[in-house]
Amino acid sequence: MSKFKKKKGGELPAISTASLPDIVFMLLFFFMVATVMRENTLMIKNELPFADQVEKLQKKDLVMYVYAGKPSERYQRQYGTEARVQLNDKFADVSDIKQFIIEERESKREELKNKLTTSLKIDGETNMGLVSDIKYELRRAEAYRINYTTKKGDAAQNMQ
């Protein structure tokens, strides 16, 4: 009869790292698909007014956003408390809107240029004079497709 000898060390075998790259790439792919990229950092107070007849925009990649309102508390010390216009990630003058529209058009393909929509995200407490100035600059830039972004609800809530 033969004798079996037991190992005295009892050490665990090394962990196989052969599947580690597969796991890393699977996690990388998951986070690339699941992550939503933020387009702009909002530098203004933006409490949108309510409206009862609201439609969703279908193609958000054909939308240029113009924000207007008082600077948020973080930026009031630097920019004051007067309502301002924000284009992308910076404050701008109303006269800069035309150049902004031209640059946005140039960044799109030729067949999409006439389908661009300008969406105005304007705080409910913003002076209507500023809104009129923005609309005048949009007409000068020949941006006639305008959308007002609102919250869905009863329009009477705007008076409260």
Side-chain angles (χ1 to χ4, degrees):
M1 251 175 39
S2 67
K3 274 185 162 180
F4 292 103
K5 293 183 181 178
K6 290 186 179 179
K7 290 184 179 178
K8 298 276 183 188
E11 296 177 16
L12 292 175
I15 297 174
S16 173
T17 59
S19 64
L20 191 60
D22 294 335
I23 295 170
V24 169
F25 283 115
M26 186 172 54
L27 285 172
L28 178 66
F29 182 73
F30 171 77
F31 286 112
M32 285 174 54
V33 170
T35 302
V36 177
M37 301 301 282
R38 183 174 57 187
E39 290 182 20
N40 294 321
T41 302
L42 202 56
M43 299 166 65
I44 61 168
K45 178 184 166 204
N46 200 294
E47 286 293 322
L48 298 173
F50 291 95
D52 51 8
Q53 297 180 5
V54 179
E55 293 181 30
K56 276 197 166 198
L57 290 174
Q58 298 302 323
K59 296 191 175 190
K60 298 215 178 196
D61 59 331
L62 298 176
V63 179
M64 303 171 286
Y65 292 100
V66 176
Y67 302 93
K70 293 180 181 178
S72 61
E73 291 180 19
R74 180 178 178 188
Y75 298 100
Q76 281 183 358
R77 183 172 288 172
Q78 186 177 2
Y79 295 105
T81 57
E82 286 294 315
R84 299 185 59 104
V85 176
Q86 179 183 342
L87 304 172
N88 289 337
D89 283 337
K90 63 180 181 177
F91 285 118
D93 292 327
V94 175
S95 59
D96 297 334
I97 293 175
K98 183 176 179 180
Q99 185 62 34
F100 169 73
I101 298 296
I102 292 169
E103 289 172 4
E104 288 290 318
R105 276 192 194 134
E106 293 300 318
S107 69
K108 303 294 182 192
R109 296 190 321 250
E110 189 64 38
E111 63 270 10
L112 299 177
K113 287 183 181 181
N114 62 347
K115 296 180 181 178
L116 288 173
T117 302
T118 305
S119 182
L120 301 178
K121 288 191 170 187
I122 299 176
D123 183 55
E125 296 179 9
T126 301
N127 187 345
M128 195 59 198
L130 179 61
V131 177
S132 297
D133 293 344
I134 292 170
K135 287 173 55 178
Y136 176 73
E137 286 297 318
L138 291 173
R139 281 194 300 272
R140 285 187 54 215
E142 298 178 6
Y144 300 120
R145 299 181 95 182
I146 299 175
N147 169 19
Y148 291 94
T149 304
T150 62
K151 288 192 256 182
K152 189 171 185 163
D154 187 18
Q157 290 175 302
N158 295 327
M159 299 300 174
Q160 297 175 354

